[in-house]
Every structure is written in C-alpha cells, then in structure tokens.
Amino acid sequence: MQLTCNLEIQMAESILDSLRAGGKKLTKPRKAILAILEQSSLPITVAEIADQLKKARAAVDLVTVYRNVAMLQELKLVNPVGLHEGQMRYEFRHGREHHHHIQCRGCGQIVDLMLCPLKKLTELIEEQTKFVIEGHALEFFGWCPQCQ
Amino acid sequence: MQLTCNLEIQMAESILDSLRAGGKKLTKPRKAILAILEQSSLPITVAEIADQLKKARAAVDLVTVYRNVAMLQELKLVNPVGLHEGQMRYEFRHGREHHHHIQCRGCGQIVDLMLCPLKKLTELIEEQTKFVIEGHALEFFGWCPQCQ
DNA sequence: CTCTATGCAAATAATTTGCAAGCAC
DNA sequence: GTGCTTGCAAATTATTTGCATAGAG
C-alpha cells in the first residue's frame, strides 16, 4: 500500500454536488487537496497540505492550494481557523459537527472541543446590534498537561 | 490645539508600574504608541498605529511599533484581536472590561460586545481536557444594518 | 555609564496576482 | 472547443532580525 493510495478516497456525493453547483471541475490536484483535508482530523495550514501532498508524491503548487482553499471556503466546504499563529488553518466541514478548538501555548498541540455555547448568545447579539450574524470564531489557549 | 496635543496624555499609574516592573523605559516613541492605543476605542493594527503617529507629526518606525506591541502583549497591557484579516489588531486593556467583537463582512466595521459567556465553559473544558486555560478568542462575523 | 530602545536595511514568511499553457466537461 | 485550472514567476503584504547609534534612568 503506497501513500498515494490514501489520496484516492471516495468523495462524498454532497461535496461533489457543491462543486458542480459552483461550476467547479474535479481536477487531479483538487482531488488530492480535498483528500488531504478530508483525512485531517485537525485544522491544517496551506503549507502543511502542500507538504503532505509532496510526501505522497502528488505534489501540488502552493498557489494552487491557496486558490483551492479559498474556493472551498466560498462554497462553505471548509472553515477557516485562526489561532494567531501568523497563518490560517482550515478544516473540512463535511460530516463534522460544529465545534471549536483549544491550542497549547507550549507545544502548539490542538484539541477539538465538541461543543458550542453560542446559539442563544448569537440571537441576543443580533437583537442588540442589528447585525445579521453569519458565523463566529472561538478558540481557547492554554497549557496542555505535558507543558504545564 | 494641534494633533500632537492628543499624544500628551496622562498615563495611568498602573501602566507605568507595569512598564517599570518589566524594566522598560518610557521613551518618546513608546509614549506616543501608548497614547494611540489608549485613545483607540476599537482594536487597531500596527500599520494604523504608525499611520496615526505620522499624521500627528510624531512618526515612529513600523518596526518600533511592532516591537512595542509585542512587548505590551507580554506585559499583558494589550490584547491581540485576530479577525482573519491577514493582520493582527491590538487593543489596550487598561480600564476596559473583558469583552469581544463583531465585525461586518461588508464594510469591515467593528463593534464591541460587552459580554462574555465563557467563564463556566472554561472551567468545564479545563476539567475535561486537563489543559490550564489562559485565555480565549471569540469574535462574531456578520452583516451590519447598512450592509445587509 | 549601563542597558534598553530606536531607526534603517535587509531578511523571512504568508498570501496574492498575471499570464500562458493544460485539462475537464 | 470553451472555460475553469494549474504552474511558474513575480509582486504584495505582514512580520522579524541584525546592527550601529541614541537616549532613559
């Protein structure tokens, strides 16, 4: 079993539909990027996606990764995750519940937090500010057991 | 009354104490940067700080602003605010309650939200993850009344 | 006088843009 | 074929680092 096998994943139909609906084509580089995102259980950077693809002998230009990630964001297939690291991370939405993250200030490790306390609050803020809220970012920072 | 007058603000004693405690000196560029931060009611970027100082005829090198903002962050005198804009924003802590922000996806306007629902949740996450939580980032994104 | 701080130049890093050639549909 | 896509080069933008000089305490 070669690494490249990992990139030949069965893509969920809903994802393909979103792409088609957006007039997007299923190219080889794009499939590979989607596969990496789908495999990644935690938010990942553009550089990391490119690195993994290179290791899997399916190298894709950094620029192509940037463009695809931007496109996937527009189609709401990926979420941006900003951890104040100087670069963005992205995570696949498909099949995952809305959630948040905590990152260790020591080792940088990221852990998923499968919770969100913001539904009620969102409504309240919409009332008070007259904004229509489309999304939110919530991340925690601290020290993991090993780094404490 | 010249613009430069605005930069000659009475600095709170607690701020001066923090600086002294950190072995920091009160230079003219530093005072000017602190004054801008203190005046700004919303989180501001490094470039904006430098621009305002230039307009106030108290120009300070961008690098100096970067270094000061980093230092102030270490002393916990300013908070970083990441709105996924490709650059960081910073806001002064002194005399302000812990709060969050909402930004309009249309015009970029930022509004303070004087609330935080995360105290209980923080304890819960600490219990569940064994992390020691030091802080969190929470921002909302949406469309302001004008941009809807 | 000692040590921190600043400015300028230059390096690094993240992200974007332009354009000709390639490939999906 | 037509139009979205890609790769490569190059431009932009954000942030950091090195170093000699200036200034605070």
Side-chain angles (χ1 to χ4, degrees):
Chain A
M1 172 91 81
Q2 304 149 252
L3 278 173
T4 48
C5 287
N6 296 328
L7 296 180
E8 288 153 24
I9 286 180
Q10 203 56 42
M11 202 71 61
E13 204 52 39
S14 68
I15 295 170
L16 300 182
D17 285 346
S18 295
L19 291 175
R20 281 188 212 109
K24 307 303 179 189
K25 296 176 175 175
L26 247 199
T27 65
K28 203 165 114 181
R30 179 162 294 162
K31 269 189 241 175
I33 293 166
L34 283 166
I36 294 292
L37 279 164
E38 202 164 34
Q39 283 172 59
S40 180
S41 57
L42 289 170
I44 189 176
T45 68
V46 165
E48 286 166 353
I49 294 174
D51 283 349
Q52 291 197 27
L53 287 173
K54 188 182 282 184
K55 280 183 198 147
R57 294 162 180 264
V60 168
D61 197 274
L62 246 196
V63 177
T64 300
V65 181
Y66 271 108
R67 288 196 269 231
N68 271 278
V69 162
M71 179 272 280
L72 293 169
Q73 219 180 321
E74 269 163 29
L75 295 186
K76 300 200 183 301
L77 290 176
V78 304
N79 287 329
V81 179
L83 295 173
H84 304 191
E85 299 170 297
Q87 86 225 117
M88 280 290 145
R89 290 181 178 275
Y90 302 89
E91 67 179 0
F92 218 60
R93 270 187 161 203
H94 179 69
R96 310 204 58 198
E97 251 174 272
H98 174 73
H99 63 279
H100 294 285
H101 305 94
I102 183 167
Q103 183 175 41
C104 177
R105 290 212 151 123
C107 62
Q109 137 181 215
I110 300 167
V111 174
D112 278 341
L113 300 171
M114 302 312 294
L115 46 77
C116 178
L118 298 176
K119 294 188 173 89
K120 287 255 168 72
L121 184 65
T122 296
E123 288 167 28
L124 177 66
I125 296 171
E126 287 189 318
E127 246 178 67
Q128 290 187 349
T129 64
K130 306 301 178 201
F131 270 59
V132 170
I133 295 182
E134 206 182 74
H136 60 250
L138 169 60
E139 8 273 336
F140 292 83
F141 303 97
W143 301 90
C144 74
Q146 290 81 51
C147 291
Q148 276 165 37
Chain B
M1 171 89 84
Q2 303 148 252
L3 277 173
T4 48
C5 288
N6 296 328
L7 297 180
E8 288 152 25
I9 285 180
Q10 203 54 44
M11 202 73 59
E13 204 52 39
S14 68
I15 295 170
L16 300 182
D17 286 346
S18 296
L19 291 175
R20 279 188 214 108
K24 308 302 178 187
K25 296 177 175 175
L26 248 198
T27 65
K28 203 165 114 182
R30 180 162 293 164
K31 270 188 239 175
I33 292 165
L34 283 166
I36 293 291
L37 279 164
E38 202 165 34
Q39 282 172 62
S40 181
S41 58
L42 290 171
I44 189 175
T45 68
V46 165
E48 285 167 354
I49 293 174
D51 282 351
Q52 291 196 28
L53 288 174
K54 187 182 284 183
K55 280 183 198 147
R57 294 161 179 267
V60 168
D61 196 276
L62 247 196
V63 176
T64 300
V65 181
Y66 271 107
R67 287 195 268 230
N68 271 278
V69 162
M71 179 272 279
L72 293 170
Q73 219 180 320
E74 270 163 28
L75 296 186
K76 300 201 184 300
L77 291 176
V78 304
N79 287 329
V81 179
L83 295 173
H84 304 192
E85 298 169 298
Q87 86 226 115
M88 279 290 146
R89 290 180 178 276
Y90 302 90
E91 64 179 1
F92 218 61
R93 267 185 164 207
H94 178 70
R96 311 204 58 199
E97 251 174 90
H98 174 72
H99 63 281
H100 295 285
H101 305 94
I102 183 167
Q103 183 176 42
C104 177
R105 291 211 150 125
C107 62
Q109 140 182 214
I110 299 166
V111 174
D112 277 343
L113 300 172
M114 302 311 294
L115 46 78
C116 179
L118 299 176
K119 294 188 171 88
K120 286 256 168 72
L121 184 65
T122 296
E123 289 167 27
L124 177 66
I125 296 171
E126 287 188 318
E127 245 178 68
Q128 291 189 349
T129 64
K130 308 299 179 204
F131 270 59
V132 170
I133 294 182
E134 204 182 75
H136 59 250
L138 169 60
E139 8 274 334
F140 291 84
F141 303 96
W143 301 88
C144 75
Q146 292 80 52
C147 291
Q148 276 166 37

